[in-house]
Amino acid sequence: RASIPDIDDDSIDYMHGMETPVHHNEHVNMMFTNDTLDSNPSLVSPGYSMSSDSDEENDSTHNLADEFDEYKDKNLEEMRTKVEGTVTNSDDMMSQALTRALMDDDDSVKDPNELTWGGSGDSTEIEASVLCEMNDWLKKREGASLDQRREFMQETLNRMVASVRYGIIQPEDASRTIHGCAAMLGLQLAEDIPETALIVTGMRKMVK
């Protein structure tokens, strides 16, 4: 004879359509789950902060800034300020010239003859040499486009920045020379030339 299984009161209530009873084991599991959530806040909860990732990002940014600071040069920064204040839209050209001077290992950049512009290194002599080179270039390339003039200006600026970096010429003298070059090339100036420069050409280089 088959035995009839025992049916407890909770099961009888369920069969009559009442809500599913909560057994003891389920109650313990729910309490465990709630405790776990309380002790481990959700990643999307308002109070959660990814402080470790933020700290690492801040450290990386700080280290990168320190590396750039190592390349800063007081004289070059002074020249940048003066040139950008006198020649319109010269920011990009100055940035390129500074990057080349600080990062380029090309030996031609360190050539003494290039740094002194073929002279003794006197600032007045350098200024005269640069302006004469500018005048010669303009005579050979009459009607040069704006892009061509800006390109030659970039080459001149690269050399002048290198001369400042190696202490051949002071930033004030260098920026004044670049200001004059920009005027000769017909580039837009942010500030007018304070003094008139007179260039005399066709003279003999050597007088006996």
Side-chain angles (χ1 to χ4, degrees):
R1 181 179 178 180
S3 60
I4 299 175
D6 295 333
I7 301 176
D8 56 21
D9 293 339
D10 290 339
S11 298
I12 292 174
D13 290 340
Y14 172 73
M15 289 188 292
H16 282 286
M18 298 182 65
E19 295 180 356
T20 305
V22 177
H23 295 289
H24 176 70
N25 290 339
E26 295 179 20
H27 180 66
V28 173
N29 289 339
M30 290 181 65
M31 291 178 60
F32 176 77
T33 303
N34 290 336
D35 291 342
T36 303
L37 291 174
D38 291 340
S39 60
N40 296 281
S42 170
L43 293 178
V44 296
S45 63
Y48 185 80
S49 174
M50 301 181 68
S51 58
S52 59
D53 292 343
S54 298
D55 292 342
E56 291 178 2
E57 183 177 353
N58 290 336
D59 290 342
S60 299
T61 302
H62 181 69
N63 292 336
L64 184 60
D66 288 343
E67 291 179 6
F68 279 114
D69 287 341
E70 290 180 3
Y71 288 103
K72 279 189 175 180
D73 182 288
K74 181 180 178 181
N75 288 333
L76 294 182
E77 289 299 318
E78 181 181 344
M79 181 181 177
R80 175 205 283 270
T81 301
K82 290 182 179 297
V83 170
E84 291 179 356
T86 55
V87 182
T88 304
N89 298 326
S90 59
D91 307 40
D92 291 341
M93 289 192 292
M94 272 304 305
S95 295
Q96 182 176 329
L98 290 173
T99 301
R100 178 183 174 86
L102 294 172
M103 307 296 290
D104 200 342
D105 294 328
D106 188 354
D107 291 336
S108 64
V109 177
K110 305 174 185 178
D111 182 0
N113 191 58
E114 286 288 315
L115 295 173
T116 59
W117 299 78
S120 62
D122 177 75
S123 60
T124 303
E125 185 178 349
I126 290 176
E127 182 174 4
S129 297
V130 175
L131 294 178
C132 283
E133 283 191 17
M134 193 68 55
N135 184 67
D136 290 342
W137 186 87
L138 287 170
K139 288 195 300 183
K140 295 176 182 178
R141 293 168 178 78
E142 186 176 353
S145 66
L146 177 60
D147 288 340
Q148 291 174 321
R149 285 178 280 141
R150 286 184 64 85
E151 183 178 353
F152 186 64
M153 182 66 178
Q154 182 69 68
E155 294 174 4
T156 304
L157 192 56
N158 291 346
R159 291 178 61 187
M160 186 61 75
V161 167
S163 296
V164 172
R165 183 194 177 192
Y166 289 101
I168 304 300
I169 187 172
Q170 293 300 307
E172 183 176 356
D173 297 327
S175 58
R176 183 182 62 250
T177 303
I178 292 300
H179 193 188
C181 291
M184 291 181 66
L185 288 171
L187 302 181
Q188 185 176 357
L189 303 180
E191 183 178 305
D192 292 335
I193 297 292
E195 298 178 357
T196 301
L198 178 63
I199 299 178
V200 181
T201 62
M203 297 180 64
R204 296 174 58 183
K205 294 184 178 181
M206 297 183 63
V207 179
K208 294 183 179 180

